[in-house]
Amino acid sequence: MAKQPTNQTAKKGKLSNAFVWFHATSVNGTAMAIAATIATYFSLYVQEEIGITAAQLSIILLICSLWDAINDPLMGVICDSYNPRWGRYRTWFLFTPIFLLVDMFLLFSNPGFIQGSPMAKCVYVCITYMVYGMCVTAYTMPQMAILPAMTLDDQERNDVVAKGAAVCALAFTVASTFSTQLVQIFGSYRNIMCFYAVFACVFFWGLYKTSEERYVAPKDENGGLKQLIYVFRHKEIWPVMLCWCLAAISYGFMFTSSVYYAQYILAPGRIDMAKLATLDEAAAGKLIGGTIGGTISTYMGFISVGALISMMVLMPILLKKLKTGYKAIIVSQLLTIICYVVLFFTGKLNFMYCCILSFVATAVGAMVNALVNVLVNDTIDFIMLKEGKQLNGIVSSVKGFAQKCGNTVVNSGMLAVLAICGFDAQLGPLGQSEMALTGTNLVRFMIPAIVSALILVIMVFYPLKKYFPAIAEMKAKMKAEHDMAETVEE
């Protein structure tokens, strides 16, 4: 592959501000706003607007998430096995956002040809949601792989990850807090999602323009699916993979369950029942709807701002003070467990108390989904040390596979728990059984607390930390060889 043109900054090995900006705003910008909207509101949207039941949606999401997990390693193999004209990883930034735009139009449509047929509705939602997952795979994996191909400096990598996390938190804040208001402004979920997708195209094309693959070894002649062996045969990688999966579960439950918790546990306690009894049906519906909407907006506002503080403020501080991602994860998850356990037993007692403590829990816990990206860089370096092979795409796709397995648990597992407990969205907030409310409380706080405890144990015994000195020596040698080659070219 022809070497990409470099400017003076690039020749010195420093990342340009433009690259940092587009790396942060590609996956973590409006594409993340799409992901946040889907994670937070898609489940209820499909049930209420299209008419699919929680049990049906649970099966759909299970099918889609399993396929989404399987195609991640395939994507990594494709990237690391071929050298397209425009780069192993950069090429994907050109066309995948266009597919995203088209699919957002279809995913949030309710076409006439599926009306009156439950099977047609399920098939339509399954296909369009599956395509969305494939689009995410096709642009997320190369975006992760391009960073270690751009720089070997751990501090630069951590800074880029932190900036991406900050943008991610901002996108999540806007999407999860103000989606209902934005839908009113734009007219529909479909319009706002297409709006996000258009800007995602701009950001990914900017990343293509500003990135280059400096540290990319020649492709492995024994490539293909065999490259997966280089990763999976190391026992040190398995706990890291589990951590990637658990981080996705923790982060997914944090946002997806929050809307359910606000609508079905917090909102009923804020409805003035005495006043409700004096109103006619129309006025009563307006009172209930207004209370539910206000409760969701307020609670999600606390959650979203907590995530913003987590990514933009606390995560950079922890990385700067503790130097490594695994230590930052230990602190984050320990505090998260404490908050979640307390909220599980006391969250229903007072609305504002629940909002404030949920804010604290999110502020210390949300960063985990970004901090595990640091573990991706650790793993890429570890494989280079052990195998002498550069498998950025494979490792990134394995991380994607583990993350999608976590998403499968979130998407179908949460709905399955609610379905088992007797939850039925058609019954509304005032019609749920006590068992359904218990299940809602369980998926909101206790299950994430257990997940955080597992992450904590893995990070306390982080298997890659003993290789850090050897990795540092290897990267210093690689950088010296690269700098010498550039000097000869000049």
Side-chain angles (χ1 to χ4, degrees), residues 27 31 34 67-68 71-72 75 92-93 95-104 127-142 204 404:
V27 169
I34 290 173
W67 166 244
D68 203 16
N71 67 45
D72 267 64
M75 181 68 187
W92 300 92
F93 305 145
F95 59 88
T96 51
I98 299 176
F99 289 116
L100 177 68
L101 174 59
V102 174
D103 189 62
M104 285 305 99
I127 292 174
T128 52
Y129 190 80
M130 186 177 292
V131 171
Y132 167 68
M134 294 174 69
C135 289
V136 173
T137 297
Y139 61 64
T140 299
M141 190 282 300
F204 275 106
K404 300 297 174 56

Side-chain angles (χ1 to χ4, degrees), residues 1-2 4 75 78-80 82-99 137-143 145-146 201 204-213:
M1 181 188 71
Q4 301 296 328
M75 181 68 187
I78 291 172
C79 283
D80 283 335
Y82 299 97
N83 283 327
R85 176 181 177 183
W86 299 294
R88 290 184 190 175
Y89 314 120
R90 297 172 70 243
T91 300
W92 300 92
F93 305 145
L94 288 173
F95 59 88
T96 51
I98 299 176
F99 289 116
T137 297
Y139 61 64
T140 299
M141 190 282 300
Q143 189 258 8
I146 197 68
C201 291
F204 275 106
W205 292 339
L207 181 59
Y208 168 81
K209 183 68 174 178
T210 58
S211 62
E212 57 179 286
E213 298 174 2

Side-chain angles (χ1 to χ4, degrees), residues 76-77 79-81 88-89 141 144-145 148-149 215-234 376 379-399:
V77 168
C79 283
D80 283 335
S81 298
R88 290 184 190 175
Y89 314 120
M141 190 282 300
M144 286 191 293
Y215 303 100
V216 176
K219 70 175 184 177
D220 188 355
E221 295 302 325
N222 297 318
L225 291 174
K226 294 179 181 179
Q227 294 177 107
L228 292 170
I229 297 175
Y230 301 138
V231 176
F232 287 106
R233 69 183 175 190
H234 293 283
V376 174
T379 306
I380 289 172
D381 293 337
F382 170 78
I383 294 299
M384 186 68 183
L385 176 69
K386 288 293 185 177
E387 299 286 350
K389 300 180 184 297
Q390 191 168 41
L391 301 178
N392 299 26
I394 294 292
V395 173
S396 298
S397 68
V398 169
K399 189 265 184 182

